[in-house]
Amino acid sequence: MIWTVDPKFLGLPCVLADPELEAIRQRRMQELMAQQGVGGARGQQNPEQQKANDDAKREAEERRQMMLSQILSSEARERLARIALVKPEKASGVEDVILRAAQMGQIAEKVSEERLITLLEQINNQTTKQTKVIIQRRWNVLEDDD
């Protein structure tokens, strides 16, 4: 949208309606938007880039699931899927631990459900948070001065 101002109002010639100046502004705006796109403004990516990113994420997730299916027994996969329904971040953390162990060669055979339970217990012991409740009573509020 081009705003035009009456030159008599400002006492200046009207430069906002100049097509050359508008073209320069448009190019500069496009350059700035392109720089922001590189800097991390993901909401302004073109549809091809978004589709490529989505495809890459989907392929990575498929590879991850394929590797897990080779490492985990069917019972262990079912248990991990049930955990993912309730606590997705915990399930992805457990998957990461299992995949790292497999890549380092620490897992020689398929992980059974019992071994997965043991791993889950170890992770729970490491991540338990101690909660402490302190009740402070204000006696002066409870007293009657009558």
Side-chain angles (χ1 to χ4, degrees):
M1 174 182 228
I2 299 174
W3 292 90
T4 58
V5 177
D6 185 13
K8 295 176 192 170
F9 178 73
L10 296 174
L12 300 170
C14 185
V15 294
L16 293 175
D18 186 18
E20 247 181 83
L21 185 59
E22 188 61 33
I24 292 170
R25 285 185 181 146
Q26 289 293 332
R27 277 189 301 223
R28 181 67 180 143
M29 185 62 98
Q30 288 174 354
E31 289 172 5
L32 290 172
M33 289 178 70
Q35 288 176 353
Q36 286 179 348
V38 171
R42 296 179 183 212
Q44 298 178 356
Q45 290 180 345
N46 62 15
E48 293 87 21
Q49 287 177 337
Q50 286 180 345
K51 187 173 189 282
N53 287 344
D54 291 342
D55 289 343
K57 287 180 184 177
R58 191 177 320 109
E59 287 177 14
E61 184 61 29
E62 287 175 2
R63 278 185 299 212
R64 180 182 173 104
Q65 292 303 322
M66 184 181 68
M67 289 173 60
L68 286 170
S69 67
Q70 292 173 355
I71 297 170
L72 298 172
S73 68
S74 61
E75 294 87 12
R77 275 194 321 242
E78 289 174 12
R79 180 173 290 269
L80 200 53
R82 288 192 302 269
I83 292 170
L85 289 174
V86 178
K87 295 184 179 182
E89 65 279 348
K90 186 171 196 159
S92 65
V94 171
E95 290 172 356
D96 291 341
V97 168
I98 292 171
L99 290 173
R100 261 187 271 129
Q103 288 172 348
M104 293 172 58
Q106 296 175 349
I107 298 176
E109 56 193 32
K110 282 197 169 203
V111 176
S112 66
E113 186 176 12
E114 292 80 20
R115 190 166 174 195
L116 179 66
I117 291 171
T118 305
L119 178 66
L120 288 168
E121 288 172 350
Q122 289 174 354
I123 291 173
N124 280 339
N125 289 336
Q126 292 173 358
T127 60
T128 56
K129 297 178 183 175
Q130 295 291 332
T131 58
K132 187 175 182 180
V133 178
I134 299 174
I135 299 173
Q136 294 180 344
R137 294 195 175 110
R138 297 183 184 183
W139 293 104
N140 57 357
V141 175
L142 298 175
E143 295 176 357
D144 268 344
D145 289 338
D146 294 329

